[in-house]
Amino acid sequence: MDVCLKKIQDGIIDGNAELVKNSTEQALMQGIDADMIIRTALIPTMEKIGKEFKAGDIYIPDVLMSSRAMHASLYVLKPLLIETNQSKKKGIVIIGTVAGDLHDIGKNMVSMILQGDGYDVIDLGIDVPAASYISAILRYKPDILAMSALLTTTIGEFKNVIQAIIDEGLRDRVKIVVGGGPVTQDYADEIGANGYGKDLFEAIEVANKLLGNKEGYFNV
Ligand code: B12
């Protein structure tokens, strides 16, 4: 593995945001692209951290430090991910992590990659209650509502938001896409979402499919 990618991995594990930022910049200067950095250094390292956290080998403060370091890399990659050569915007996406859930790394990646693929993305942040999704739908009239949840205790919130959208008579106005660790295609079908993406690349695929346009910048 390339030295810079290894340093990004080590920096995330050690929670060393400075090392991660510098190594990400070096990797880009060496011609390693953002896609490669995400696939080989960022995602697998967070998975490793998740396993160590589950096993009780590391604790929440360690995970927070790693998350901060991971965001240092995303910050460097952001301009590249959202850079798009398309003059015509593909559509509007509202994205947010559902109520009770504070995980935002994956949601932020999905947000950036969709921007890079030509969507206007409005990010509502984390811990977003159903009422805020409704207000945002009324205000921005999005083509897609994308929701993220990482906890088995919060994925049920997707259902609550969908019910609130139905109650407001807005269900046929917006396509709903869900994703996050414990979410599956079966679950998405069960709750009546229009789509599911297992990772950021599938997020683009499903958005393009739902809007009938497959000509993305990342062309997945
Ligand atoms: C980082 C982290 C945290 C950080 C979050 C910091 C932050 N700013 O996000 C902190 C320390 C705050 C945290 C807290 C907690 N966490 Co936590 N956390 C993680 C960890 C290690 C990594 C998550 C991550 O960022 N992964 C990397 C990203 C890139 O992956 P991702 O989020 O899955 O996103 C990808 C896909 O899912 C998809 N995707 C995501 N969203 C969307 C949306 C759409 C629309 C689409 C299409 C796709 C999509 O695309 C993304 C990119 O490829 C995971 C372990 C893991 N393996 O996931 C545990 C994990 C999610 N946490 C867990 C737990 C239990 C907790 C706590 C309850 C711990 C506690 N006892 O307090 C709290 C809950 C806090 C809360 N209310 O939300 C459990 C969840 C178990 C479960 N299934 O319910 C996990 C799985 C750890 C474990 N193995 O036990 N956590």
Side-chain angles (χ1 to χ4, degrees), residues 17 34 67 76 101 124 136-137 193 211:
S67 153
V76 175
D101 202 318
L124 304 181
I137 292 170
L211 299 191

Side-chain angles (χ1 to χ4, degrees), residues 179-193:
V183 189
T184 60
Q185 180 67 59
D186 282 350
Y187 187 71
D189 293 342
E190 186 189 317
I191 61 173

Side-chain angles (χ1 to χ4, degrees), residues 4 17 26 30 32 45-46 63-64 85 96 125 131 135 145 155 177:
C4 292
Q26 276 170 19
Q30 283 181 19
I32 301 172
T45 311
M46 283 319 281
V63 182
L64 275 173
N85 52 9
S135 309
L145 169 63
I155 56 171
V177 179

Side-chain angles (χ1 to χ4, degrees), residues 43 46 49-50 53-54 60 63-64 67 71 100-106 109-110 146-148 150-152 177-181 197-200 203:
I43 293 181
M46 283 319 281
I49 287 164
F53 176 58
K54 193 173 182 186
I60 286 191
V63 182
L64 275 173
S67 153
H71 274 108
D101 202 318
L102 307 177
H103 296 85
D104 67 354
I105 297 173
M109 283 187 177
V110 170
M147 290 188 281
S148 178
L150 266 278
L151 301 170
T152 38
V177 179
V178 292
K198 130 168 113 42
D199 55 31
L200 68 165

